[in-house]
């Protein structure tokens, strides 16, 4: 192995190795998020809690869209190229310039939106549930500013190989909401007042997150010197990339928020049992607590996606950008192949495992206080349909970052526009014409849309960079499917045994099912000689062969 190959190998393994650190922190983040959801779900499934779910969907959209998406996608390729070609000081000035511009634009936008919300609250004063929804949205609006600035700073730190604090920052938000929800459950009897307290914790957490990353930037040699003029050369490039990145990377997030809003509109209430659709009067297909149940299922299905797939996508994006800037296609192909194989194994196993364990997991985790056994079963029914698309969600975040590393934003944008329309229309059709699905239509619509998106993106990427290991990828998929099938068979056998022995307690089925499923998956992967599992567990060989072009 020559010096160039050694350097290439060290660089690649550093970023893939960082994915394990980020994954560990992401696990903590998702666990804290799970506790947050448990605390909020305990407030029940009704029109008021559904209003909070929709209102929180707005700042959560900005967190996922900017914190995990568009701003990073626009900045990282430009920041990496600037640092590679012009040095770190020019990259620091680019970051400072961009954060100053973003702060001004976002603050102006927030004032405009807040003014509109205040007027809307005043106009809708008689509609109690709508007024509460708008008020909570207004309270959480400042988070929009802090999370976007946090995303820019985190992207720059990722390019410098610093991943710990950006991965830890979501935990701060979860801890603030957990504390607020526990305080509300203990000391506040009114559900609207409880939810207003939880809403207030969101912008406070955003301020703490932002102060922490500003301090870390200074420690990392990227101290901010905020200025609006003169504009750095890379600013126009970043701004030109943000808009298509918003649509391309964020269409799933937009779809999910839009679906929550549609769920709110289509939920029957005593004063509004019918939906007037182009002159047709249709009985609303949902009840007032379905939005809360849908969001409970949605948050749980996102748990495995964030553990590895999002961690992996976050950490390898700067690496892919470096390879693209060097026009090193063999290295880019190899890294994309490796990331897809890791994501597929996790996505297939997690989706199948959650599907068979949906009932005991949701009953065990969320059935408490005002969230009833029936609420839990209905949320589990929705979760099963979300599980059908977990594999696609895991692969999607890898594929789209490969396009953005190549500065190709148009292809994902075109696909996103078409499929966003498909998602909404398919949901409307299922809700109205297949009433047996009910709230499960939300999960099925997202699963179908994401699966179709992944197929189209993979075909387009192959045309863009050439083959990224078709034979190797096909063999990995076959082995992952077989290992997952063996895992599912073992979990089903365990559940049958627990029922036969009259031990089918939700907590026991959950703990035993996850433990047995994980152990069997590991053994199956070892017997099938799958390298992906060892890579996920950090057991890479110390002396790996140099990267080769994939056929």
């Amino acid at each position: 192995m020559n010096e160039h190959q050694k350097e290439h190998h060290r660089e690649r393994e550093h970023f893939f190795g960082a994915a394990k650190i980020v994954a560990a922190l992401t696990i903590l983040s998702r666990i804290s998020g799970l506790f947050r959801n448990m605390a909020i779900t305990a407030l029940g499934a009704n029109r008021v809690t559904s209003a909070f779910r929709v209102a929180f969907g707005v700042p959560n959209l900005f967190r996922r869209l900017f914190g995990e998406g568009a701003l990073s996608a626009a900045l990282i390729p430009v920041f990496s190229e600037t640092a590679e070609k012009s040095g770190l000081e020019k990259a620091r000035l680019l970051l400072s310039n961009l954060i100053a511009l973003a702060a001004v634009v976002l603050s102006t936008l927030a004032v405009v939106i807040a003014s509109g919300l205040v007027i809307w609250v005043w106009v809708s004063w008689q509609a109690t549930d709508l007024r509460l929804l708008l008020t909570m949205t207004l309270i959480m609006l400042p988070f929009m500013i802090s999370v976007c600035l946090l995303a820019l700073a985190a992207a720059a730190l990722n390019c410098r190989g610093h991943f710990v604090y950006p991965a830890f920052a979501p935990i701060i938000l979860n801890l603030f909401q957990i504390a607020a929800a526990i305080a509300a459950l203990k000391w506040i009897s009114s559900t609207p007042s409880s939810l207003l307290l939880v809403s207030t914790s969101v912008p406070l957490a955003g301020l703490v997150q932002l102060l922490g990353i500003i301090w870390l930037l200074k420690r990392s040699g990227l101290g901010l010197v905020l200025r609006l003029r003169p504009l750095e050369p890379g600013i126009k490039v970043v701004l030109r990339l943000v808009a298509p990145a918003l649509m391309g990377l964020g269409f799933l997030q937009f779809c999910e928020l839009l679906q929550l809003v549609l769920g709110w509109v289509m939920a029957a209430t005593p004063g509004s049992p019918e939906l007037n659709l182009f002159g047709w009067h249709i009985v609303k297909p949902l009840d007032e607590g379905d939005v809360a149940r849908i969001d409970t299922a949605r948050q749980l299905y996102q748990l495995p996606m964030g553990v590895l797939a999002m961690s992996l996508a976050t950490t390898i994006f700067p690496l892919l950008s470096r390879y693209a800037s060097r026009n090193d296609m063999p290295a880019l192909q190899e890294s994309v192949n490796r990331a897809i194989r890791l994501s597929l194994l996790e996505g297939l196993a997690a989706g199948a495992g959650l599907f068979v364990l949906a009932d005991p997991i949701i009953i065990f985790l969320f059935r408490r206080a005002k969230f009833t056994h029936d609420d839990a079963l209905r949320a589990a029914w929705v979760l099963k349909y979300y599980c059908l698309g977990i594999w696609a969600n895991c692969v999607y975040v890898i594929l789209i970052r490969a396009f953005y590393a190549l500065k190709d934003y148009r292809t994902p944008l075109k696909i996103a526009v078409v499929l966003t329309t498909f998602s909404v229309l398919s949901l409307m059709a299922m809700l109205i014409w297949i009433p047996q699905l009910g709230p499960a239509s939300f999960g099925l619509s997202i699963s179908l849309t994401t699966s179709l998106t992944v197929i189209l993106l993979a075909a387009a990427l192959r045309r863009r960079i050439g083959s990224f290991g078709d034979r190797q990828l096909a063999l990995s998929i076959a082995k992952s499917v077989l290992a997952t099938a063996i895992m599912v068979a073992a979990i089903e056998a365990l559940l049958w045994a627990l029922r036969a022995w009259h031990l089918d307690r939700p907590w026991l089925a959950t703990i035993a099912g996850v433990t047995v499923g994980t152990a069997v998956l590991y053994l199956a992967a070892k017997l099938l000689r799958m390298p992906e599992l060892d890579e996920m567990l950090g057991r890479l060989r110390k002396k790996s062969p140099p990267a080769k072009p994939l056929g």
Side-chain angles (χ1 to χ4, degrees), residues 245-256:
L246 278 173
M247 286 300 298
L249 193 59
F251 94 94
L252 279 179
Q253 287 78 12
F254 279 121
C255 284
E256 290 180 356

Side-chain angles (χ1 to χ4, degrees), residues 199-210:
S199 300
T200 305
S201 69
V202 174
L204 293 177
L207 178 61
V208 173
Q209 289 175 324
L210 191 57

Side-chain angles (χ1 to χ4, degrees), residues 217-237:
L217 282 173
K218 186 176 181 180
R219 289 286 303 271
S220 304
L222 294 172
L224 299 177
V225 181
L226 302 180
R227 58 185 178 82
L228 298 175
R229 296 284 181 179
L231 290 179
E232 291 296 317
I235 292 292
K236 292 182 179 179
V237 180

